[in-house]
């Protein structure tokens, strides 16, 4: 059984690209699972079941083992399943033998040591590689634009299937039903590979070695090392000071 959480995981890539030392610091701090994470896991299990069933593939119904199953989760996963099946039908019209992969392990270790992640849905055709990610969270509106997680998944899929399909374009979609958000972004194959060489690989080398500079920002939100991070403490202090700073309008007599 492979290690479920890579030090350089796709899902945390925004954080370790921005702050390379955070990869090793988080690995040392360990996971702190939240109820929200379990809710997301439940929703993903239901998505997988519904799509595999729609594709006519065998999959056990997970409902009786889900902690957070409710009518909202049923509706959101139905909507996601419909979206994926529409995209797959469209792919079948464009390509005689499209490939659809659900909950697929994607290895992007060519650019990041031991880097891997699990893609919710990958559709591969000649010309277009499509990556679709389901987000059940409500808190943060997630955009597919310049999204490192999606690009890491795309790299893993490109590495695995780029020699079988003639891929020239990557289409990445975030499906976030509880925020009424379907965000799509595209990049050329060459553009993706250039980003991997210029941005991902250098940051991954530093992150894997536990070196580089600490850098705080909005990417600290999900960092499990932030309780003991001085850089983060300074950042929050600055933010608080800025919030209390009188505005120009306040200074006018
Ligand atoms: S809290 Fe922020 S600055 Fe500190 S290690 Fe984590 S990501 Fe880096």
């Amino acid at each position: 059984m492979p290690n479920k959480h890579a030090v350089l995981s796709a899902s945390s890539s925004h954080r370790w690209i921005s702050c390379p030392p955070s990869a090793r610091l988080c690995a040392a701090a360990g996971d702190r699972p939240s109820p929200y994470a379990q809710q997301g896991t439940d929703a993903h299990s239901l998505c997988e079941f519904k799509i595999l069933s729609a594709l006519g593939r065998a999959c056990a119904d997970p409902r009786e083992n889900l902690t957070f199953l409710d009518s909202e989760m049923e509706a959101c996963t139905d909507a996601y399943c419909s979206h994926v099946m529409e995209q797959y039908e469209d792919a079948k019209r464009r390509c005689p033998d499209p490939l659809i992969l659900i909950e697929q392990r994607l290895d992007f270790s060519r650019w990041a040591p031991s880097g891997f992640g699990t893609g919710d849905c990958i559709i591969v055709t000649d010309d277009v590689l499509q990556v679709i990610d389901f987000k059940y969270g409500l808190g943060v509106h997630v955009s597919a634009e310049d999204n490192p997680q999606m690009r890491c998944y795309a790299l893993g899929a490109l590495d695995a299937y780029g020699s079988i399909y003639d891929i020239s374009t990557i289409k990445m979609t975030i499906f976030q039903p509880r925020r009424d958000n379907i965000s799509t972004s595209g990049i050329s194959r060459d553009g993706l590979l250039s980003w991997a060489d210029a941005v991902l690989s250098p940051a991954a080398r530093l992150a894997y070695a536990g070196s580089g500079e600490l850098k705080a920002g909005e990417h600290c939100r999900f960092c499990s090392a932030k309780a003991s991070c001085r850089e983060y403490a300074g950042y929050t202090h600055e933010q608080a000071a800025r919030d209390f700073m009188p505005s120009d309008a306040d200074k006018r007599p």
Side-chain angles (χ1 to χ4, degrees), residues 15 19-23 25-26 213-217 219-221 223-227 229-232:
R15 192 201 66 233
C19 174
S22 69
L25 293 171
C26 285
E213 282 183 29
L214 288 168
K215 186 171 171 227
H219 53 268
C220 298
R221 179 190 291 255
C223 179
S224 52
K226 68 183 174 190
C229 177
R230 270 190 292 174
E231 190 70 18
Y232 179 69

Side-chain angles (χ1 to χ4, degrees), residues 80 83 87 130-135 140-147 150 170-186:
Y80 172 68
H83 179 79
Q87 299 301 310
Q130 195 167 357
V131 179
I132 308 174
D133 199 51
F134 177 77
K135 300 281 187 207
V140 183
H141 182 280
V142 186
S143 169
E145 203 67 48
D146 297 326
N147 185 312
M150 302 298 280
I170 321 295
K171 183 178 169 189
M172 295 162 285
T173 299
I174 299 282
F175 190 94
Q176 190 178 18
R178 295 166 89 202
R179 293 291 299 255
D180 288 327
N181 173 31
I182 301 177
S183 170
T184 295
S185 169

